[in-house]
């Protein structure tokens, strides 16, 4: 079986990462990649790593062509997918949105953070949140998957075992998160220039970041109750990688955290619980769909400390999208996602 | 008045930074810099930035020469200063130890973390902890100053106003700290190679770091009660800079944090409280003795969030040592410490 | 004596570097810094390293204010200074243009490379090329100085002794030059994003770069004959620094290159000829106005190899501009330019 | 068919890269990886990117085990392979040495540069230099392949078409080469610390580098005459990648360089000649076995300029070794070597 796939909006970093993964996927045929701005230009002229691997040129989006594909990925700015997805879903195309249009169930909250009205509330209600480790079956049945954000993936996976098990107080969760600059995208902005982001470290969005409501929604679903969360993102002078440092106060310090995490993720192909005492490194998952997690109880006290790393462009975006595609189309979940991180 | 100064153990990063600052200090004459390993070699051969500024060669430590100086800085591995300092102090030399030998008052705790017995308990009891923003007068009178560690400087300065004012619960303080690689020193180790630390981010010492007891001692002094602290350091792929992200639960969320911080540090020449909503950048203090701090109350809740940055080799080491020297010798506190950070 | 100075166009990297140097210059009072785009904004809000050092806000350019200054620096895009400089020069203001408007004597060549007609040919003919090591006296007398480009400074200083002495064949000179990303400026462009320029190395402009005619003009002046030059710039994943690797075929391999260079630059305060066998590092001049040079004759053959490093924003731009200002106004040439590089 | 393979000395960067490539090779079973120092430790504890992909632990070298393999790779310090290889070759094992023991035909030259006598001159005479683009057939027949050095691979491939065609003067070739820090290996040395190599650029070995005789030997073989070569390596603040900037004076400036290169490499699976006007980026080949080359004739003169990039650990080491293994064992040459570079 060969799956025909399309990427809408492929010139950003999640777009090129999707290209890399789909080009190496044994059962996918990439039919089209759209970009109005770069229409006509060969993909490999923009991304020379794809020379010899991807022969497509960017083309303007054509609804008829997209409707002929088995699956369409949206790697577009927020607000685009919600305009184009309904017609595709109607015509039986599976849709995976790597943007934020379908991630938040409460559309009032969504409008508050994204500054626009939602174009298709009904479809938003139907959309399935694409975090396989939390709701794999629903994804298998989904017509439309909302691919999680990069921070939300790492933070949710790190907190899940604590919240599902009711192991921590839910009112003072802290997620101190750090991301490489590729999370800010490829559109040139002053703060992501090498001369501004290099040899520098700082927090941002401390008073409110768009990923906060998405994370909170997921944590509350897992905890089955409201949670109080402080989320502080930081910019790291590197290209790829997210490190989430998570803090929660244990209800019972006697709990065997290591066992809880190993058991929770025992069957997960893309979550690796490290041995006790470990400190996961972002480079160990660079270019891979893996999340690596270590748990600590500093000084044997009642604070649970969770360290989780992912590649923000893979498990935090394009890789998870391919994982969701595999699920939606009945393929083995890990197909095309088993490349080894390049290290050093 | 010209101060004659000596540096013992000058080949590491704190040593060269002391050299840079003392070479530019208008009232210091640097007499000697010792290194057994590099004895005879010109300083500028090891540190080419000092060509034309420092004409000294490294020499083996000579007690008589050191005893003839007004002030001696120890930039040595832990355990060295406590052997050599007593004789110098006896002879009236002011001593500033940039290592950890005199930082911890409880010598049992010190021995536990540093793995040796203390060589001069009496002098340890007399030593003054050199954080001018907390105890300037004692430093002025001191014969021996224990210069604070890099993380402890940033974390203590960030928490001080909250603890002195009794504004936060003291049982669940969290310090999520990030440091550039120069904090690990110049002795080659695998994990600080460019190929290991570059394009990478990870925590370390999550189950216990030597700076933890030093920080806790300072916080407890400020709070006048025991504190519960979780301290998690991380390694950032950059050379200089520490960013401390501090969390404390407010007793009264109505407190005006901005005003508390501005007032507390109003007269401090090396603490800069940024305007509301700011996110301090480590590069803004690179090469400078300044600490910049911003305070937030995320979503208007009861969590106080403090962001503090410093240059780990300046305010976190050599710059603070010069600040302490200025105080001990009756010079203007900011003398030789007013260079502007190079940016970008 | 206090010099009143103005900067026109101060929001780029050469602008902020001028600010840093002028703020630390003991005889300069910075009166005004202009920017239409950022008018009204405090300088320290854009450049937090200047908090506490520079209290000015950006203001729109006002000819009357500029005319009241002793010296005006242009750190503007090419084409601006040639419009504004004539009136200022008329009124007795010393003008230093850090752009390219007055660097090329042949205005036909200038128009070819910069794509516009020159606005004031007469003043262009009068302008003095501001490379003190080549023509110090003319700079002292100049009303208008054309501050050299970053690559041209390093390449010319490296080749000068060879060409002045007629020591190399002039038809096959090669300048393989490498620059940090700050040379590309602060206006966001895709190729200088951390995610594009980081962990990457490439040449650019191999078929022709704007600095080529400027370099050739200088080399031909020194050689007093036409020269054949191949100039290939490369982008290095770092912020500051230029490394020029220069190749020339010796007419007489028996020449003592080391002695030639040491003698040529013996009295130059900002050119440091390293000992035989050295390899200068860009970081050794970061933030400083120094150029460091080493000469080699690989395998004792007839190829002269010159290695020259500078900070592109200091000796390659703002520092050299201050050096020129000092000369023009009769101040000691090194005033305000003796800060030590921060290393590591 | 499954090939059983062993790696001797697997803890360095070429060793881990071999591991990554062999773990993903569809017809290789990695039997053993030796390290005396790390014997007993799981490979994935040292290289966490291999968790879940490589289950081996390091073991001490055991001649009997090695002799039972189809192919043995030496990723050892110079001088080791020449001691162990003869016995293996005797027993019919194909041997590929990633070190320098068998690269230089003139053992007097070899001893001069590597500071020891050669242990097996006869085998050295038989060894085949493993640059497939120059002598593929001989590699197919070889019992022992000397895998080329990293710089030599890029420089030879870049110069080959010019020298084979007699297109340039052979007495003044220049190779200005730049390498990321992984070329210096994983053994901690001061100059490859992040704090020393980061934000820094410099040449090294200008008076003589071990790769010079290897490059010259290859160029002379291609030119069928002696060549005069100036080779200057530089250290780039990045992890992976080599950029060779090559200069040669054209005998006939009218030659169509682009056509020459395209024709020469038309059938080469791992050499990609870029379109006219291109500047290859090292990141475009990161983690891949590809070499990308662009040719220029600056200002239409008689200087040929060749820009060539490779990943020093792949085509410059482990990838080329796997390519050689494929040839020696009759497998498709590109098997296991078609991963796409991760970009950004």
């Amino acid at each position: 079986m060969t799956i025909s796939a399309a990427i809408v909006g492929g010139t950003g970093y999640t777009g090129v990462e999707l290209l890399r993964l789909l080009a190496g996927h044994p059962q996918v045929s990439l039919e089209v990649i759209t970009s109005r701005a770069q229409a006509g230009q060969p993909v490999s002229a923009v991304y020379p790593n794809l020379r010899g691997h991807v022969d497509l040129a960017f083309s303007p989006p054509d609804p008829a062509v997209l409707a002929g594909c088995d699956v369409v990925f949206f790697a577009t700015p927020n607000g685009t997918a919600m305009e184009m997805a309904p017609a595709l879903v109607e015509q039986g195309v599976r849709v995976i949105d790597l943007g934020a249009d379908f991630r938040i169930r409460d559309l009032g909250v969504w409008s508050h953070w994204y500054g626009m009205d939602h174009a298709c509330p009904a479809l938003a209600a139907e959309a399935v949140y694409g975090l396989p480790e939390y709701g794999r079956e629903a994804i298998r049945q989904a017509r439309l998957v909302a691919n999680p954000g990069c921070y939300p993936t790492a933070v949710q996976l790190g907190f899940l075992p604590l919240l599902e098990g009711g192991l921590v107080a839910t009112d003072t969760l802290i997620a101190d998160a750090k991301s490489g600059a590729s999370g800010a995208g490829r559109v040139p902005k002053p703060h992501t220039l090498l001369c501004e982001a290099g040899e520098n470290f700082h927090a941002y969005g401390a008073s409110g970041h768009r990923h906060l409501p998405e994370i909170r929604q997921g944590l509350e679903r897992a905890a089955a109750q409201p949670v109080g969360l402080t989320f502080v993102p930081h910019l790291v002078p590197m290209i790829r990688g997210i490190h989430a440092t998570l803090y929660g106060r244990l209800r019972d310090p006697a709990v065997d955290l290591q066992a809880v995490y190993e058991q929770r993720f025992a069957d997960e192909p893309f979550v690796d619980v490290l041995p006790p005492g470990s400190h996961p490194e972002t480079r160990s998952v660079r270019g891979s769909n893996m999340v690596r997690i270590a748990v600590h109880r500093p000084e044997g006290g009642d604070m649970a400390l969770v360290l989780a790393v992912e590649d923000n462009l893979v498990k935090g975006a394009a890789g998870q999208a391919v994982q969701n595609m595999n699920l939606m189309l009945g393929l083995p979940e890990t197909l095309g996602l088993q490349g080894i991180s390049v290290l050093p």
Side-chain angles (χ1 to χ4, degrees), chain A residues 15 104 161 170-171 174 198 248 273 282 314 323 337:
Chain A
I104 307 285
T170 54
D171 58 340
I174 290 175
V273 179
T282 59
V314 189
Q323 186 181 358
L337 291 172

Side-chain angles (χ1 to χ4, degrees), chain A residues 193-272:
Chain A
L193 291 177
L194 182 137
C195 292
E196 303 289 311
E199 284 297 308
N200 193 17
F201 188 91
H202 60 89
Y204 62 100
S207 43
H209 184 282
R210 284 177 171 183
H211 282 172
L212 177 58
E214 180 185 345
I215 297 171
R216 188 151 43 202
Q217 167 184 282
L219 300 187
E220 294 186 338
R221 194 171 67 146
Q225 62 175 284
V227 305
L229 171 71
T230 302
F231 168 60
V232 182
H234 302 74
L235 183 60
V236 183
M238 64 181 183
I239 298 173
R240 284 172 181 246
I242 279 183
H243 187 289
T245 311
L246 309 176
Y247 302 87
R249 202 158 188 187
L250 289 167
R251 293 207 163 103
D252 173 10
V255 68
D256 181 348
L257 281 179
Q258 183 73 24
V260 167
Y261 274 72
E262 287 183 1
Q263 196 171 322
R264 174 59 178 83
F265 294 121
D267 298 327
E268 287 299 339
F270 294 119
V271 181
D272 177 24

Side-chain angles (χ1 to χ4, degrees), chain A residues 91-154:
Chain A
Q91 295 170 80
V93 180
R94 305 296 179 104
V95 171
I96 300 172
D97 178 24
L98 284 83
D101 288 8
F102 299 99
R103 290 179 190 159
I104 307 285
R105 297 208 85 61
D106 182 329
L107 294 185
V109 170
W110 188 86
S111 292
H112 171 73
W113 285 93
Y114 291 92
M116 44 187 140
D117 289 333
H118 205 284
C120 53
L123 198 54
E126 178 194 329
V128 173
Y129 189 71
L131 190 65
E133 292 78 5
Y134 191 67
R136 184 169 277 112
E137 279 317 306
I139 296 168
R140 286 207 172 95
Q141 313 304 325
R143 301 196 298 171
L144 167 63
V145 160
N147 212 57
C150 52
Y151 283 126
T153 297

